[in-house]
Amino acid sequence: KTKNNLNHKILLHVDGAQSLGKIVIDVESLGIDMLTIVGHKFGAPKGVSALYIKDGIRICPMLIGGGQEKGIRAGTENILLNVGLGEACRIAYNEADDILLHLLT
């Protein structure tokens, strides 16, 4: 509480660009409100990334127009890049133990 007896919540944004696919990131146990991942850092095509936003967190769009992504972003989504990101995430998840072992040895 502040001196005015107001509760202020500070949001935690984590830049996970270098971590995904190398270490386990549990957004709940780490208290992460927003997490950015960058696809080409773990095997997805260049030019695709994602922003995890915890339920209940509201952000304002940077560009106005279109209703994509619940009104947060404007423009046409690149389905092929999104599928590539999803597949890279699946592979990273399935190979997480092997990757961690390789990094530690």
Side-chain angles (χ1 to χ4, degrees):
K1 291 192 176 197
T2 64
K3 68 179 187 173
N4 296 329
N5 291 327
L6 299 174
N7 286 321
H8 293 283
K9 179 173 169 76
I10 297 173
L11 299 177
L12 176 61
H13 171 260
V14 173
D15 178 355
Q18 297 291 342
S19 345
L20 194 72
K22 298 174 185 79
I23 62 171
V24 175
I25 303 172
D26 183 343
V27 293
E28 289 185 18
S29 69
L30 295 173
I32 296 172
D33 297 305
M34 294 179 283
L35 172 74
T36 301
I37 61 170
V38 179
H40 73 274
K41 296 291 188 174
F42 62 97
K46 287 186 177 183
V48 64
S49 59
L51 174 64
Y52 160 82
I53 303 172
K54 182 178 177 180
D55 282 340
I57 304 294
R58 294 183 54 174
I59 63 171
C60 296
M62 292 181 66
L63 301 171
I64 306 299
Q68 293 84 352
E69 302 299 326
K70 300 179 183 175
I72 295 174
R73 75 176 286 284
T76 303
E77 294 137 346
N78 188 322
I79 301 300
L80 295 177
L81 289 182
N82 292 345
V83 169
L85 179 65
E87 182 64 11
C89 286
R90 186 190 65 75
I91 292 168
Y93 178 81
N94 289 339
E95 297 180 359
D97 292 339
D98 293 335
I99 292 169
L100 184 58
L101 182 62
H102 174 74
L103 291 172
L104 295 175
T105 56

